[in-house]
Amino acid sequence: MVLYGVAALAVCMLAGTLVGEYLGQALGVDANIGGVGFAMVLLVFVTHWLRQKGKFPEASRQGVLFWSAMYIPIVVAMAATQNVRKAVTGGPMALLAGLVALVAGFALVPVVARIGGPGQPFPESDDGPAQEEPAEALTPEKKGS
């Protein structure tokens, strides 16, 4: 069954690579544009659809999780290396665009951290029930039970 998860990942990767190649050709660029991204989005949709149909058992899910744990960090590291090399050789505009994205990312950290607010319980996930609030977050009214 693990093999089915790996097969789903491989089919999505091939489909995403083809879409990226054709998009590059359509835009006149001699490169794969977003192939890995298309593959990952397709994998999310396919696995969600298969789970809804009851045709994606836990063992298949483990096959996808294994390769995603191995594959995605490697691809991100390769892409980051290429982006830095292109930015350095691309001139000041590429460096400025990267710097603006970095500053914007750092500026958005507090905004994203406030989503949900303090004291709200975590939503339930596939891993189990919602987590409890930490003891420090309990007010005196809540402690008096």
Side-chain angles (χ1 to χ4, degrees):
M1 289 295 190
V2 172
L3 187 60
Y4 294 142
V6 174
L9 181 68
V11 168
C12 290
M13 185 61 208
L14 288 172
T17 301
L18 286 174
V19 169
E21 290 290 333
Y22 289 135
L23 183 60
Q25 288 177 359
L27 295 174
V29 178
D30 188 26
N32 181 329
I33 299 178
V36 173
F38 288 123
M40 293 300 113
V41 169
L42 182 62
L43 183 65
V44 168
F45 285 127
V46 166
T47 56
H48 178 71
W49 179 74
L50 287 172
R51 269 186 279 167
Q52 283 182 334
K53 298 282 186 187
K55 297 184 181 192
F56 201 69
E58 181 63 27
S60 297
R61 182 173 172 259
Q62 292 301 322
V64 171
L65 289 176
F66 170 75
W67 282 108
S68 64
M70 297 292 288
Y71 179 76
I72 292 173
I74 293 168
V75 170
V76 168
M78 288 170 38
T81 303
Q82 290 175 350
N83 290 342
V84 169
R85 189 177 308 131
K86 291 286 184 183
V88 170
T89 61
M93 187 54 79
L95 289 172
L96 180 64
L99 206 66
V100 168
L102 178 73
V103 170
F106 276 121
L108 287 175
V109 168
V111 174
V112 173
R114 275 182 267 178
I115 293 175
Q120 292 184 355
F122 294 102
E124 298 222 7
S125 68
D126 291 341
D127 297 335
Q131 298 177 2
E132 298 283 330
E133 291 180 346
E136 300 86 41
L138 297 175
T139 61
E141 298 85 40
K142 290 183 184 178
K143 289 182 182 178
S145 55

